[in-house]
Amino acid sequence: MLDKTYKKGGTAALIKIAYRNIWRNMRRTLFCFTAVGIAVLFIVIYSSMIEGMIKSINETVQVYEVGHITVVSKQYEAESEYMPVQFPVADGKIWKELAADIYRIPGVRAVLPRIATMATLQDSTVKHAVLWGLDIRNEMAANNFNLTYRNDGLIEGRWPDKGANEIAIGRVFAQKSGLTIGDRLLFKTISAQYSEKFLRPQITGIFNFDYIKLDENYIVMDIERLQNLLVLDEGTQSLVVYADDENQSGVIASGMQNILGERNVITQWKENYWVAVLQAASSVYMIVFLVFIIVASFLIINTVVMIIHERIKEIGMMGCLGMTRAEIVRVFFFESIFLAAFGALAGVTIGGIITGLLSNYPIRLMEQFGSTFSEMPMSNAIFFQFSPAILLQAWLMGVVVASIFTLIPSLKSAFVEPVEALRR
């Protein structure tokens, strides 16, 4: 009912009237709460899952592929699909000297050499693999190679010693080939001089990075041993750089370009194909979210229209008591805002509880969908991301969109003539 003190209270009094009005029909109010709440709940859960996928891809790209910044020669970049070792960074300059220069750039946390080349396996059920040369101790100090459990990923044995004729293989690789700790694996690869090189190292460790691409196909070897095998001296196929702040990679990349010159290609992690694809898809996600909120808003629109129709005489009474058309519209608009705000709050609360619980339990996409996601650089375990920012964004989106769409039916109350309304 009309509060006789609304003239004294101004907007606060109109808000008070609107708040009282939404509870006059509990069934209708609960229907509105439910519609907006379900839409906002969907946004919270979907946003948390998408954020988890984006985080997984970003971390996978940074840890296993390009770091924050990666450096290769232009010749290697042109033939990278073949993983050639004939085109080292900076024409084969000693990588430690290059790293020393890069470390002088402010914000650089780690500079690591990496070599990846194809190997043909002999006397094995698995015929091909990627031989991955790492500065193992420094790599493990810079990153968690198992992104699920946040550790180095070693599940059995130990990592190869520096310069030793030893290797570590992935869990899936070990299962497929029937190999275990202590076995030797004979393989052939091609050196930087295009000659065939054979090696029969001993398996000292089995790892589980929870990243199917590496667990199936990669053999980890100490980089010094691999440099000797491939006749690279102290050069490296690529340099991977990690920054204290990943968002400063552009500044560091510019400084590296001055050091390395134009004959090398410097790539930032944000330039990775999959990272760019997901960033570009963010606008699509927002459109999907808006559609859900708009659909939910139609129930509030219908509710406001019904309220105006049912309260025609009350609207006439408001006009006769001196309320202007603008004030009447504001009362109904405030009612719409309350319906949207409380419904969105319910959706955010339930969504926050669900995502908070799910953030502790990974979704294992590879186990559930097989090879569907195998081409994406994504860890097997995807965690929902519980974030107050996601909850706030979903709540604001629910309130703002629903309120905007209910403004039009609220304006309908302004066109009700007081005298005609009282005659009904």
Side-chain angles (χ1 to χ4, degrees):
M1 294 181 65
L2 182 61
D3 190 328
K4 294 181 181 180
T5 63
Y6 81 92
K7 286 294 183 182
K8 296 180 180 179
T11 300
L14 297 178
I15 292 174
K16 185 176 180 181
I17 295 170
Y19 178 78
R20 289 177 177 176
N21 286 341
I22 66 171
W23 305 110
R24 292 170 63 180
N25 189 321
M26 286 296 298
R27 180 181 298 178
R28 190 160 52 205
T29 297
L30 290 176
F31 278 144
C32 290
F33 286 178
T34 302
V36 177
I38 290 175
V40 171
L41 173 63
F42 168 83
I43 291 175
V44 170
I45 293 177
Y46 194 65
S47 295
S48 298
M49 184 179 71
I50 294 299
E51 285 296 317
M53 291 180 65
I54 291 174
K55 181 179 180 182
S56 176
I57 287 180
N58 288 350
E59 286 189 334
T60 301
V61 165
Q62 291 173 3
V63 172
Y64 305 120
E65 297 193 5
V66 300
H68 293 149
I69 308 159
T70 190
V71 185
V72 296
S73 67
K74 282 190 174 181
Q75 298 98 318
Y76 175 86
E77 180 72 9
E79 302 182 32
S80 58
E81 60 183 303
Y82 304 110
M83 299 183 181
V85 295
Q86 292 80 20
F87 311 115
V89 175
D91 298 321
K93 185 176 179 179
I94 298 174
W95 77 265
K96 291 181 180 178
E97 294 180 358
L98 295 172
D101 292 336
I102 295 172
Y103 270 119
R104 294 190 183 98
I105 301 173
V108 173
R109 174 166 59 88
V111 182
L112 303 167
R114 289 182 183 177
I115 300 172
T117 187
M118 295 300 301
T120 302
L121 310 183
Q122 314 292 315
D123 304 324
S124 171
T125 55
V126 178
K127 296 303 179 184
H128 301 282
V130 176
L131 203 55
W132 203 23
L134 303 177
D135 183 357
I136 297 174
R137 299 298 179 269
N138 288 327
E139 285 276 4
M140 300 308 164
N143 292 298
N144 293 310
F145 268 61
N146 185 295
L147 301 181
T148 304
Y149 298 106
R150 302 292 169 179
N151 57 34
D152 65 0
L154 194 67
I155 58 175
E156 189 177 345
R158 60 175 174 80
W159 291 111
D161 287 334
K162 198 174 188 66
N165 190 32
E166 299 172 342
I167 57 174
I169 61 176
R171 173 185 58 85
V172 180
F173 181 95
Q175 291 174 350
K176 286 184 176 181
S177 61
L179 296 170
T180 187
I181 301 295
D183 292 342
R184 290 188 176 271
L185 179 64
L186 177 64
F187 61 79
K188 177 185 72 174
T189 188
I190 304 299
S191 74
Q193 298 177 342
Y194 298 96
S195 60
E196 292 185 346
K197 294 289 183 177
F198 290 86
L199 195 67
R200 194 166 182 265
Q202 184 178 37
I203 299 170
T204 62
I206 296 176
F207 59 82
N208 176 21
F209 292 159
D210 221 0
Y211 179 29
I212 195 67
K213 177 181 174 181
L214 271 67
D215 292 345
E216 277 187 335
N217 301 313
Y218 275 53
I219 299 171
V220 173
M221 176 180 285
D222 176 68
I223 193 163
E224 288 187 5
R225 184 70 184 91
L226 190 55
Q227 283 173 325
N228 293 334
L229 177 68
L230 299 176
V231 198
L232 275 172
D233 297 323
E234 295 186 66
T236 183
Q237 185 188 62
S238 66
L239 278 176
V240 174
V241 178
Y242 289 95
D244 292 324
D245 181 359
E246 64 185 34
N247 295 316
Q248 295 299 313
S249 58
V251 176
I252 295 173
S254 298
M256 290 171 58
Q257 194 71 68
N258 296 330
I259 294 172
L260 296 166
E262 298 297 327
R263 300 185 64 180
N264 298 280
V265 178
I266 299 175
T267 306
Q268 299 177 50
W269 68 275
K270 291 183 180 180
E271 297 170 358
N272 177 270
Y273 172 78
W274 287 108
V275 172
V277 164
L278 281 185
Q279 290 297 328
S282 297
S283 58
V284 177
Y285 304 145
M286 293 301 297
I287 292 173
V288 173
F289 298 159
L290 286 173
V291 169
F292 269 80
I293 291 295
I294 290 170
V295 170
S297 298
F298 275 107
L299 182 56
I300 299 182
I301 292 172
N302 290 333
T303 300
V304 174
V305 172
M306 291 171 59
I307 289 172
I308 293 171
H309 179 74
E310 292 176 1
R311 286 157 52 186
I312 288 293
K313 289 187 176 181
E314 186 177 319
I315 292 172
M317 182 75 70
M318 291 178 180
C320 291
L321 290 175
M323 288 184 70
T324 65
R325 289 183 173 181
E327 289 171 333
I328 294 173
V329 170
R330 286 160 68 189
V331 168
F332 286 98
F333 182 58
F334 288 145
E335 288 187 37
S336 304
I337 292 177
F338 279 126
L339 292 171
F342 288 136
L345 181 61
V348 163
T349 302
I350 297 173
I353 294 172
I354 292 174
T355 55
L357 293 173
L358 291 178
S359 65
N360 298 307
Y361 302 97
I363 302 173
R364 298 194 172 277
L365 293 179
M366 298 304 174
E367 294 176 2
Q368 297 184 30
F369 300 101
S371 60
T372 305
F373 294 93
S374 61
E375 295 302 318
M376 299 180 68
M378 186 188 306
S379 172
N380 180 38
I382 307 298
F383 289 88
F384 277 79
Q385 295 299 301
F386 174 79
S387 168
I390 291 176
L391 301 181
L392 180 60
Q393 175 184 322
W395 184 82
L396 287 175
M397 185 178 293
V399 174
V400 172
V401 175
S403 298
I404 290 173
F405 273 81
T406 53
L407 179 59
I408 295 175
S410 297
L411 290 172
K412 184 178 179 180
S413 62
F415 297 97
V416 177
E417 293 294 338
V419 176
E420 291 297 324
L422 291 172
R423 289 177 179 174
R424 297 187 184 184

